[in-house]
Amino acid sequence: MKSVRWGILATGQIARKFAEGLQALPDAELVAVGSRKLETAKAFAEEYNIPRAYGSYAELTGDPDIDVVYIATPHPAHAQNTLQCIDAGKAVLCEKPFALNATQARHMIQAAAEKNIFLMEAMWTRYIPLMLEIENILEQGTIGPPKMIHADFGYSGDWEPDGRVLSPHLAGGALLDVGIYAISLASMVYQRDPEKVAALAHMASTGVDEISAFILSYEPAALAILSCAVGASTPGEATISGSKGYIKIHSPFWCPSKATVSIDEGKTETIEVPFEGNGYNYEAAEVHRCLREGLTQSPKMPLEETLRIMGTMDNIRKQWNLKYPMEHTL
Ligand SMILES: NC(=O)C1=CN([C@@H]2O[C@H](COP(=O)(O)OP(=O)(O)OC[C@H]3O[C@@H](n4cnc5c(N)ncnc54)[C@H](OP(=O)(O)O)[C@@H]3O)[C@@H](O)[C@H]2O)C=CC1
Ligand SMILES: O=C1CO[C@H](CO)[C@@H](O)[C@@H]1O
């Protein structure tokens, strides 16, 4: 089988994990890495045995031997980096959040469509094998139609105010960083837009949300009760409840390997689907499949859904009056 040739754009924490993830795929070839600094690119290339290292993102996207670029920059750079790749004719896997807001996301999607180029949000959770199993269970109607979701993703640390977690200049805050996982879960389960959103947050001293909670209301009758934090550690579980029972996705629900299905007649079954690699290999494998099939987006998580999720987050931020300094549209 012909390898898919990858380039990695940026050399931070997630770029490293993704490079490791690719090692689990025999048909992935990591051809090049690009960084804002040549020394950083070279060090990364040496560590992961990557043949080419570039000291700018433009050189990376200009490499004719790359099929697809994985974008691993902070949130405000995603739109620009994606457009740069599309311009250079490269397929793109872009880290979450796909963009700062729905306006940017729409622009990226349009640009990819115009050039017939593959584009996908790197929402890795959606490609983890246990998640696929949960989708099957929901389809089979085991718990009845889902009506209520509870999910939380909160972590804490001693964050620098100008780092990516807390800085408004890097579009920090819990919602875009980790709340998005809970919203994506609700979107996967309900497959539609919420009709109403009620959201509350406490802001960090930098002005971005440190702890936040939102209730999404769907028609016909369904709710998602979600919370996230960058200043509190939470259990990290998710529960999907239906008229006949519920599925508990054990922590961490964003890269799960265990779930318990409880049915009202007192039946309980625990499902374990351990994943191979570090989990990031599954989203990469989906990119391979799509490219081989000549698709321009993943049917598992179409770009329309990514756009809907961005729209929900815009709605939530609007309720808090939270705009990032670089945003001119919201
Ligand atoms: N899927 C997942 O599990 C995870 C996803 N993420 C997502 O990945 C993205 C990156 O996060 P993470 O890797 O933790 O971030 P890091 O800060 O560790 O790395 C970001 C990298 O982006 C590049 N960069 C470009 N512009 C800037 C800038 N203005 N300031 C800082 N760095 C810049 C740098 O690479 P260089 O110097 O080489 O140009 C830097 O190393 C985010 O979208 C985040 O939400 C993060 C962690 C886990
Ligand atoms: O996507 C992510 C997964 O979780 C991390 C926290 O544990 C986040 O920082 C990151 O952005």
Side-chain angles (χ1 to χ4, degrees):
M1 200 189 321
K2 200 165 157 257
S3 294
V4 173
R5 300 167 304 173
W6 284 89
I8 293 188
L9 190 152
T11 57
Q13 185 204 333
I14 192 63
R16 314 185 87 76
K17 289 192 178 162
F18 189 79
E20 281 163 34
L22 284 184
Q23 290 167 356
L25 297 180
D27 57 339
E29 195 184 340
L30 182 46
V31 172
V33 60
S35 170
R36 293 167 301 169
K37 280 200 196 136
L38 185 57
E39 311 87 81
T40 323
K42 278 184 172 165
F44 191 97
E46 198 171 320
E47 190 174 343
Y48 295 99
N49 205 15
I50 305 170
R52 302 178 198 177
Y54 295 114
S56 72
Y57 299 155
E59 285 171 273
L60 177 85
T61 59
D63 184 328
D65 297 326
I66 292 174
D67 300 314
V68 53
V69 174
Y70 167 65
I71 294 174
T73 47
H75 308 167
H78 290 179
Q80 195 204 333
N81 298 150
T82 297
L83 293 172
Q84 193 174 8
C85 291
I86 292 170
D87 222 34
K90 303 292 183 229
V92 176
L93 173 65
C94 179
E95 255 311 328
K96 41 62 56 180
F98 188 67
L100 288 183
N101 53 45
T103 305
Q104 282 191 345
R106 206 171 288 114
H107 190 44
M108 294 151 75
I109 293 168
Q110 204 174 342
E114 276 164 16
K115 288 195 119 188
N116 208 27
I117 281 177
F118 178 82
L119 176 59
M120 179 176 131
E121 177 186 357
M123 177 41 78
W124 62 310
T125 306
R126 299 289 288 271
Y127 307 94
I128 300 278
L130 182 82
M131 274 298 173
L132 309 184
E133 186 53 34
I134 285 169
E135 282 181 296
N136 284 337
I137 295 169
L138 291 171
E139 259 169 44
Q140 285 159 13
T142 313
I143 61 159
K147 293 193 169 224
M148 188 97 101
I149 297 173
H150 290 88
D152 65 273
F153 189 162
Y155 68 109
S156 62
D158 197 9
W159 313 122
E160 296 293 336
D162 55 356
R164 106 167 164 78
V165 174
L166 283 185
S167 171
H169 300 283
L170 294 173
L175 174 67
L176 263 61
D177 193 30
V178 287
I180 189 171
Y181 287 97
I183 296 172
S184 179
L185 175 73
S187 172
M188 180 192 99
V189 172
Y190 293 140
Q191 288 295 318
R192 56 196 192 269
D193 254 347
E195 297 279 328
K196 288 188 200 150
V197 174
L200 290 171
H202 285 286
M203 300 298 165
S205 58
T206 55
V208 300
D209 58 310
E210 185 187 0
I211 51 171
S212 50
F214 16 98
I215 300 178
L216 314 183
S217 172
Y218 298 79
E219 295 298 339
L223 291 171
I225 299 150
L226 313 173
S227 58
C228 58
V230 292
S233 299
T234 70
E237 288 174 353
T239 311
I240 305 165
S241 305
S243 53
K244 295 199 256 172
Y246 62 88
I247 305 170
K248 174 173 144 178
I249 309 175
H250 293 246
S251 183
F253 81 82
W254 53 94
C255 56
S257 55
K258 188 172 168 185
T260 303
V261 184
S262 300
I263 309 300
D264 287 345
E265 300 99 60
K267 274 194 269 167
T268 296
E269 191 191 350
T270 298
I271 302 161
E272 290 196 61
V273 188
F275 51 80
E276 287 162 20
N278 64 1
Y280 297 99
N281 39 308
Y282 293 105
E283 60 181 0
E286 173 69 357
V287 174
H288 289 196
R289 179 181 81 88
C290 292
L291 290 180
R292 290 209 171 97
E293 290 179 13
L295 303 175
T296 53
Q297 50 183 303
S298 165
K300 277 233 41 66
M301 190 175 171
L303 291 165
E304 203 47 45
E305 187 179 348
T306 287
L307 186 58
R308 282 210 321 258
I309 291 169
M310 290 308 315
T312 300
M313 296 200 297
D314 285 358
N315 185 339
I316 291 172
R317 285 201 291 129
K318 208 168 182 178
Q319 297 187 31
W320 303 335
N321 259 330
L322 171 55
K323 265 195 187 189
Y324 302 111
M326 70 302 276
E327 276 184 310
H328 302 296
T329 51
L330 185 60

